[in-house]
Amino acid sequence: MAISSSVRRQPTPESSAASSPSSHGGSENLRRRTLHGGALLGIQRIVAIFISALGGIALARLLLPELFGLYTVAWFVVNLAVALGDVGLGTVLVQRRTIDENQHVARAFTVGLCVGVLVAGLVWGLAPLAVSLLGLDEQSAGLIRCLAVLALFAAFRMPPAVLLERRLDYRALTIADLAEISTYYAVAILTATAGLGVWSLVIGAVLSKVVSVGLLWKMAGWSPRLQWQWKEIGVLLRAGMPIQGACLSVTLRDVSMPVIVTPWSGVVGVGYLNWAGTLAFLPLQLVSLAGKVLLPSLARLQGDAGRFALATEQAINRVAVFLFPAILFLMAAADPLVSLVYGSAWVPAVPALYLYGVAAAVGGLSNLCIHALYGLGRSREVFWLNVIWAALVWCLSLLFVPWWGFTGFAAASACAAALSISVLWVLRRTVPLHLSRAIGIPFCSAAVVAALLYVACQLFVRDLFGLALSGALALVCHLLLAAWLAGPLWRAGVWDDLRTALGARL
């Protein structure tokens, strides 16, 4: 792990500006920097989606569903432990109007490192118990113990990521994220080809974190420093607990999959769900990047409800233009895509893919609203909403899985996602947000074209070339139809956003 040994940097003009709503010429400059950051992250996500798609295809051809399921169960055990140890300090530091890089970040790093060491030790020691409770074979304990090191990486990643986000330095974050995903798939594919089986996924996960964290430390230019002050750490922990609770509730929701599905469908069922979820939720990387850009920017607009709502609506609209076709087109072309690209071994997971597509379409928009609530400092509301959604997934999964097997879990996720739109009601209590105005035209356009794509796939698509051509034509038709329906003002606004994003100084 490459940890920078350079002298700690004092807050630069850029980082100081990121902490003040009036810096860099006011709101127009904030919009310009936000759009430019979004453009950088958008390019990164497009490349990341491309790498993930190709890497996922290669691994699906090399590894059996049972191995994916075994790795998924082990990863969920570790992820639950990491979520238990996450105290939400990173989000708290991003939300603050001003921070001292030499004190606040150092104290947060100290707490995170102590918690990371504790969590990694607990995972290592309790791995055999987890394996016994889940009914896995003995080698799973070794998988869990090796993945336990991810708890330490979470602690080391937090300080540089916070500093780079506050400086709106999305170029550095883009480089680190691309390096991580590229390393993971490159290592996993090479080791899977060498016959290492499920261990190829573990080795890829660990080495990709080493590369990513090392790059972040290098580019942030902040040296590790341990500092402890009870009063300040207490303030940070109190602010971070609702955020940590929200993240933990999401993790507990996801853990329901291996806990409930494994006894009824075995690890192969978990493997099918992991594959279907990975593919269906791939477009949600667009939501992730939008949230990453929105959070520090919206936090500076908390005092102006009108501008806050307008910025949120525009972000949702721009994401919806690409999110809806990505998900609906995937669902429309699922049958030929799976049989021609991934292989017949994954055909049983197609119904789960449809259901996860519904969850992704609705849940993606809900996640953007969640980021808006974080921007308003409403972390307690986010916590309780996530608790309710997690409880819904557990209850519905316990009801559906005994009837429908592993597909029942995907159905439970889709139903819970449909109810997650209640976050809009919470958000509108503070800001005058109009979701229908933001998503109406993108959804209608994507739905019409997706229906035509489905008919084309059933009647004409017989090979990979036909599938690729149909998908490309569908995307062009959607963009043209959406632009025509939205009218000249929308087209002018999108063009202005593009010029601002691409023309901003790096």
Side-chain angles (χ1 to χ4, degrees):
M1 182 183 306
I3 299 179
S4 174
S5 58
S6 60
V7 178
R8 286 189 307 275
R9 293 172 52 183
Q10 297 298 322
T12 62
E14 182 181 27
S15 63
S16 299
S19 302
S20 172
S22 60
S23 304
H24 284 293
S27 60
E28 179 59 29
N29 187 72
L30 178 61
R31 172 178 173 271
R32 176 175 59 83
R33 288 164 60 79
T34 301
L35 286 172
H36 177 58
L40 280 175
L41 289 176
I43 295 172
Q44 181 264 328
R45 289 301 187 213
I46 292 173
V47 177
I49 290 173
F50 182 74
I51 295 173
S52 298
L54 292 182
I57 293 170
L59 289 175
R61 293 282 187 175
L62 290 168
L63 301 175
L64 296 174
E66 291 87 345
L67 297 182
F68 277 99
L70 185 60
Y71 171 77
T72 301
V73 173
W75 183 87
F76 270 124
V77 171
V78 175
N79 194 46
L80 175 60
V82 172
L84 287 170
D86 181 15
V87 287
L89 298 181
T91 304
V92 170
L93 292 178
V94 172
Q95 286 179 339
R96 282 195 165 192
R97 292 184 179 274
T98 58
I99 63 171
D100 187 323
E101 294 185 9
N102 295 328
Q103 294 183 12
H104 297 115
V105 178
R107 292 163 188 167
F109 171 65
T110 303
V111 175
L113 183 61
C114 292
V115 172
V117 171
L118 177 62
V119 169
L122 288 175
V123 171
W124 182 276
L126 297 177
L129 177 61
V131 168
S132 176
L133 291 175
L134 293 172
L136 304 177
D137 54 45
E138 294 183 359
Q139 73 160 326
S140 301
L143 299 176
I144 295 173
R145 284 173 167 169
C146 288
L147 289 172
V149 72
L150 297 181
L152 294 177
F153 286 127
F156 279 101
R157 188 186 190 280
M158 185 268 293
V162 165
L163 295 177
L164 292 171
E165 283 191 49
R166 288 189 63 86
R167 298 168 190 165
L168 302 182
D169 188 357
Y170 298 109
R171 176 166 36 179
L173 293 169
T174 294
I175 293 172
D177 287 346
L178 279 179
E180 178 177 344
I181 194 170
S182 300
T183 302
Y184 170 74
Y185 281 108
V187 172
I189 291 171
L190 287 174
T191 50
T193 303
L196 294 186
V198 68
W199 284 99
S200 61
L201 303 175
V202 176
I203 297 171
V206 173
L207 289 184
S208 65
K209 290 296 182 183
V210 172
V211 172
S212 174
V213 172
L215 285 173
L216 286 173
W217 275 102
K218 177 75 173 177
M219 292 181 290
W222 189 86
S223 299
R225 179 185 179 187
L226 299 179
Q227 189 177 109
W228 192 275
Q229 186 185 72
W230 281 108
K231 182 178 179 180
E232 176 63 24
I233 289 175
V235 171
L236 292 174
L237 289 175
R238 283 193 297 272
M241 289 307 292
I243 299 171
Q244 189 270 348
C247 296
L248 179 59
S249 64
V250 172
T251 304
L252 288 173
R253 177 199 66 193
D254 295 338
V255 165
S256 62
M257 184 176 78
V259 172
I260 297 175
V261 173
T262 302
W264 291 93
S265 301
V267 292
V268 65
V270 177
Y272 282 136
L273 286 173
N274 178 58
W275 172 85
T278 300
L279 185 58
F281 295 142
L282 201 58
L284 293 189
Q285 293 194 37
L286 295 171
V287 178
S288 175
L289 81 89
K292 185 178 292 187
V293 174
L294 273 178
L295 179 57
S297 299
L298 290 180
R300 290 154 179 78
L301 300 176
Q302 295 180 43
D304 191 330
R307 289 174 57 206
F308 188 99
L310 180 60
T312 304
E313 283 182 23
Q314 289 180 342
I316 292 175
N317 176 260
R318 304 305 188 256
V319 171
V321 170
F322 296 98
L323 177 65
F324 285 139
I327 294 174
L328 295 180
F329 293 179
L330 174 64
M331 296 169 66
D335 288 332
L337 177 69
V338 174
S339 59
L340 293 174
V341 177
Y342 289 92
S344 58
W346 299 98
V347 170
V350 171
L353 178 62
Y354 290 136
L355 292 166
Y356 271 145
V358 175
V362 180
L365 297 177
S366 300
N367 284 340
L368 278 178
C369 294
I370 289 292
H371 282 98
L373 283 176
Y374 275 135
L376 289 170
R378 305 280 293 275
S379 54
R380 293 186 183 276
E381 285 88 343
V382 174
F383 166 70
W384 287 113
L385 286 170
N386 280 325
V387 168
I388 294 171
W389 297 336
L392 279 173
V393 172
W394 273 89
C395 293
L396 293 175
S397 297
L398 289 171
L399 179 64
F400 293 163
V401 170
W403 289 356
W404 303 325
F406 67 87
T407 306
F409 181 84
S413 299
C415 292
L419 295 174
S420 71
I421 202 65
S422 58
V423 66
L424 178 64
W425 175 79
V426 177
L427 186 58
R428 291 190 63 182
R429 292 171 59 190
T430 305
V431 295
L433 182 68
H434 301 282
L435 187 62
S436 59
R437 185 168 61 190
I439 69 172
I441 290 177
F443 176 78
C444 292
S445 173
V448 169
V449 178
L452 296 175
L453 177 62
Y454 175 79
V455 173
C457 288
Q458 297 300 315
L459 297 179
F460 306 115
V461 174
R462 296 293 181 268
D463 52 32
L464 287 176
F465 176 77
L467 180 62
L469 180 61
S470 299
L473 290 175
L475 179 59
V476 172
C477 291
H478 160 70
L479 294 176
L480 293 175
L481 180 59
W484 177 70
L485 291 173
L489 289 179
W490 182 85
R491 294 194 293 271
V494 171
W495 178 248
D496 182 59
D497 287 346
L498 288 174
R499 287 192 307 167
T500 302
L502 300 178
R505 292 175 59 188
L506 298 179

